[in-house]
Amino acid sequence: MLSDVTCSWTGPTSNGSDIRTYISENALLPGQVHTYFGGSEQNIFNAYKHEVRALAGESQDDISEKLSEILKSSGLKVARQKYEYHVGGNTYGGENVYAILHAPRGDATEAIVLVAAWRNMAEDLNQSGVALVLTLARYFKRWSLWSKDIIFLISADSKAGPQAWVDAYHDAHSPPSVASLPLKGGALQGAIVVDNALDHRFESLHITYDGINGQLPNLDLFNTAVSIASGQMGIGVSLQRMWKHGDTYRERLQTMLRGMVSQGLGHASGPHSSFIPYHVDAITLQAVGDGWQDEMAMGRCVESLFRSLNNLLEHLHQSFFFYLLMQANRFVSIGTYLPSAMLVAVNFTIMAIALWLQSGRPPRTRVASPQHGEKTPEPEMVMIKQGGMTAVVPKQELATLERHLFLPVVVVLGLHFLGVVPLYIFNNTTQMNLSKTLFIFNLFNFALPDLVAVLMSSYAPLTHQQRLLTKCFSLVLLGMFLATLATLNFSLAFLIGLLASPLSFLGVPPSEPPKAEVPSSWTIIARILSSIVLHALAPGVVLFALCTYSGVGVEDVLTQAAFGWKVSGLWTQVIVWCVWWPAWLVGGAFVSPHRSRNRT
């Protein structure tokens, strides 16, 4: 019932519970300055774009050397950083080139970063984006109004490069695979990523804001970018790949669900994602479509956005860090949507409490049917007085059994530690073998609940009370983990909670020990149906089904997860294999026809 309430709570959230976005930090003053980027800067941009195209097929050293020369010619201090990661049989390496414009009117205690990856997330040459950053570096150098350092970063790719740079900037890198930074500025306050791989004019800006592990930038940064682009520059804004948004209920719901899926996966959605775990608010501005907006309009957006960030006297903190966006101008705050995830977690907790109470009750004494003429024996009654009231209840209802906790605790903890096995396998298998590994794992996982049930029946047979306690501890851990996770990554807790919700009523031992050794036909049918439902909702099966439905390769998803685990600190797979999968395994073992018989 709580799962139904959760779904009915989340659906209307996208229609009526959302409010218009607003700027909480008055110092930002978005769109209040006149931008001067344009005119002769167009010729400089075209020249830099020609240089970028000429470097498209060159080696990394040649590219870095040329970019360094261009930045040095603008009068900036330039440095380079090499990095190399080895994940899943693949090597992610390259060299970052960055330059620092020290604040003419500041004390070098704060900095803003302007980023352009040489190749964007789609592996396309970010020709206009890199050229625009080079042009803006030359343009910003001429201004003396900056109160913060401005760092211009050109990374070799969109994932490993920014992660290596921001790790090294905060001295959290792992040498020698990631080199230290020879040049640093102030504490990072914000980062803006420019992504424009188009060779023609664009129609609108697509703003990407999802960070690692579902972290989000301060909503003021997103609202400032939207206000400047749509209000000051007249450029359309889209998000979550919703190119045409008619502001209908269906489109709002679709935008929200896309954002929840992206947040739940926790993967890097762009170069900006690497900055957010370090409490650096960051977004990506991506030029999309075919329209009449040119690169100078995008440059003016960046200029105005940097002028707003330059006004800040402290870190962005007044607006929301937890939110769901319905469209560019409407959002739902955490106070509105968080109860839905908590209801899912409470669902498991309430069931665990019920099983705990049942485990302490003695089995009811079965009285033989009286013969003809005999009276039914009356149960022994007890009088209870409390609060001035008196009640008479059967004595058997007040009896409490001693709970034997050791074996249930060992079983539940052992299955949770067993989740380390698939976690290690999928994070260390080469990319070419990931599809086969998942297929073999799903086949083995299909029989694993039966295997666990047989092992428990042979080596550690459980009493009926211990079966209740095992399921109780499994559900209470699941509810506790999901309730905690909901405050960090709402979407991941919500999605896993819905997928695991059948565990609260499938594989639950009956309140009384079974009367007969041979189960009835209805009991067998119920077990078969329960087993089918549980196997259909196994983590590996759900992953394969979602990849098939969305048209994404399984090996690509698992490779990105392994990359995030080893490079970005992604812990989505920890929740899947060490929280969800063990709870599923307990439920599957108790549904199995080979489950252990009740030991007296």
Side-chain angles (χ1 to χ4, degrees):
M1 182 183 71
L2 286 177
S3 299
D4 296 335
V5 173
T6 297
C7 294
S8 61
W9 184 299
T10 307
T13 294
S14 59
N15 189 32
S17 299
D18 56 330
I19 58 178
R20 291 192 64 85
T21 57
Y22 56 92
I23 304 294
S24 300
E25 179 57 71
N26 295 325
L28 285 170
L29 299 175
Q32 299 300 308
V33 298
H34 182 75
T35 55
Y36 297 93
F37 186 76
S40 61
E41 305 298 331
Q42 177 73 61
N43 299 326
I44 298 172
F45 169 83
N46 291 334
Y48 285 155
K49 188 175 181 180
H50 178 75
E51 295 282 357
V52 171
R53 286 177 179 173
L55 293 171
E58 301 296 329
S59 64
Q60 182 64 61
D61 290 336
D62 293 338
I63 294 175
S64 300
E65 186 64 33
K66 186 61 178 179
L67 293 176
S68 298
E69 291 179 3
I70 295 176
L71 292 171
K72 287 179 180 178
S73 65
S74 299
L76 303 174
K77 296 180 180 180
V78 182
R80 294 153 69 170
Q81 177 208 25
K82 289 184 176 294
Y83 63 91
E84 188 174 275
Y85 297 103
H86 300 279
V87 180
N90 298 327
T91 300
Y92 302 87
E95 188 174 28
N96 296 320
V97 179
Y98 67 102
I100 297 182
L101 170 60
H102 289 290
R105 303 178 63 182
D107 53 0
T109 58
E110 297 177 340
I112 316 172
V113 188
L114 180 60
V115 187
W118 185 257
R119 294 196 175 274
N120 60 14
M121 293 294 289
E123 293 299 325
D124 296 326
L125 178 63
N126 189 16
Q127 50 183 355
S128 297
V130 173
L132 184 59
V133 169
L134 296 174
T135 307
L136 286 171
R138 182 179 181 274
Y139 174 76
F140 285 172
K141 175 64 176 176
R142 302 204 307 262
W143 289 84
S144 60
L145 51 84
W146 305 113
S147 61
K148 295 176 175 58
D149 293 344
I150 300 180
I151 303 176
F152 304 93
L153 171 63
I154 301 177
S155 59
D157 59 15
S158 294
K159 294 185 299 182
Q163 188 66 53
W165 187 87
V166 73
D167 285 345
Y169 197 92
H170 294 89
D171 295 323
H173 60 297
S174 301
S177 59
V178 177
S180 299
L181 297 183
L183 190 62
K184 292 184 180 182
L188 302 183
Q189 299 296 303
I192 306 298
V193 181
V194 179
D195 181 3
N196 187 358
L198 304 177
D199 195 24
H200 52 76
R201 293 173 178 261
F202 64 93
E203 180 182 8
S204 61
L205 289 178
H206 179 255
I207 302 181
T208 310
Y209 55 90
D210 306 292
I212 303 295
N213 294 321
Q215 294 177 284
L216 302 174
N218 189 274
L219 187 58
D220 268 347
L221 179 61
F222 178 87
N223 293 339
T224 301
V226 172
S227 176
I228 291 173
S230 60
Q232 183 181 14
M233 303 298 169
I235 303 176
V237 175
S238 60
L239 63 151
Q240 299 300 342
R241 307 186 71 82
M242 293 288 293
W243 313 123
K244 302 294 182 180
H245 203 300
D247 199 22
T248 62
Y249 170 74
R250 180 177 181 179
E251 290 171 328
R252 289 188 186 183
L253 182 61
Q254 188 175 359
T255 304
M256 182 187 73
L257 292 178
R258 287 189 178 189
M260 290 177 62
V261 171
S262 179
Q263 185 184 20
L265 291 175
H267 65 298
S269 57
H272 68 280
S273 299
S274 302
F275 291 84
I276 298 179
Y278 289 95
H279 305 288
V280 180
D281 301 304
I283 57 174
T284 293
L285 304 179
Q286 180 185 13
V288 295
D290 189 358
W292 57 276
Q293 303 287 351
D294 62 357
E295 297 86 354
M296 295 299 101
M298 191 172 189
R300 286 190 292 273
C301 284
V302 176
E303 178 190 357
S304 184
L305 190 53
F306 268 66
R307 292 283 296 275
S308 294
L309 294 176
N310 189 61
N311 294 335
L312 289 177
L313 300 177
E314 53 186 341
H315 200 82
L316 288 173
H317 66 281
Q318 293 196 22
S319 191
F320 296 93
F321 286 95
F322 300 93
Y323 50 85
L324 294 176
L325 288 169
M326 307 291 106
Q327 55 151 308
N329 296 310
R330 304 197 73 87
F331 78 103
V332 178
S333 67
I334 184 174
T336 303
Y337 65 75
L338 186 61
S340 60
M342 290 302 179
L343 285 175
V344 176
V346 169
N347 163 48
F348 302 111
T349 305
I350 291 177
M351 193 63 191
I353 295 174
L355 293 175
W356 174 264
L357 295 177
Q358 290 178 16
S359 67
R361 295 174 182 172
R364 295 184 179 182
T365 304
R366 299 186 181 96
V367 181
S369 300
Q371 299 295 328
H372 180 69
E374 296 182 358
K375 294 183 178 180
T376 304
E378 296 292 335
E380 184 178 357
M381 308 298 288
V382 177
M383 182 178 294
I384 300 177
K385 295 182 179 180
Q386 184 177 359
M389 302 180 66
T390 304
V392 179
V393 297
K395 184 178 180 180
Q396 186 180 9
E397 296 293 333
L398 300 178
T400 302
L401 290 179
E402 180 184 359
R403 294 180 175 89
H404 301 280
L405 307 179
F406 178 74
L407 194 54
V409 170
V410 170
V411 171
V412 173
L413 292 182
L415 292 179
H416 274 271
F417 280 111
L418 187 63
V420 176
V421 176
L423 178 66
Y424 177 83
I425 291 175
F426 289 112
N427 284 333
N428 292 276
T429 303
T430 58
Q431 182 176 1
M432 61 182 299
N433 295 323
L434 280 173
S435 297
K436 298 178 182 178
T437 303
L438 180 63
F439 179 75
I440 295 173
F441 176 81
N442 283 338
L443 290 180
F444 175 74
N445 197 48
F446 184 81
L448 188 57
D450 293 334
L451 179 60
V452 172
V454 170
L455 291 176
M456 287 195 300
S457 178
S458 302
Y459 298 100
L462 302 176
T463 64
H464 179 73
Q465 182 197 68
Q466 289 173 331
R467 289 168 56 79
L468 290 172
L469 290 172
T470 301
K471 186 67 177 180
C472 168
F473 294 152
S474 176
L475 290 179
V476 77
L477 281 178
L478 181 60
M480 179 183 66
F481 284 131
L482 292 182
T484 305
L485 179 64
T487 62
L488 302 174
N489 189 340
F490 160 80
S491 300
L492 181 59
F494 180 80
L495 296 174
I496 289 183
L498 287 184
L499 292 172
S501 58
L503 296 176
S504 60
F505 56 87
L506 295 181
V508 177
S511 58
E512 294 287 336
K515 298 181 180 180
E517 294 293 331
V518 180
S520 64
S521 58
W522 289 108
T523 302
I524 295 176
I525 293 175
R527 289 178 187 172
I528 293 175
L529 293 177
S530 299
S531 180
I532 292 175
V533 172
L534 285 179
H535 281 90
L537 293 176
V541 176
V542 171
L543 172 61
F544 182 80
L546 291 178
C547 290
T548 303
Y549 174 77
S550 59
V552 180
V554 173
E555 63 279 357
D556 295 333
V557 173
L558 293 176
T559 300
Q560 295 302 321
F563 177 87
W565 168 260
K566 294 189 175 182
V567 178
S568 306
L570 179 66
W571 37 256
T572 301
Q573 51 266 60
V574 177
I575 304 300
V576 171
W577 297 120
C578 297
V579 176
W580 177 19
W581 184 66
W584 174 87
L585 199 53
V586 171
F590 283 172
V591 168
S592 170
H594 304 287
R595 71 189 194 279
S596 60
R597 298 183 183 274
N598 295 312
R599 177 169 56 86
T600 58

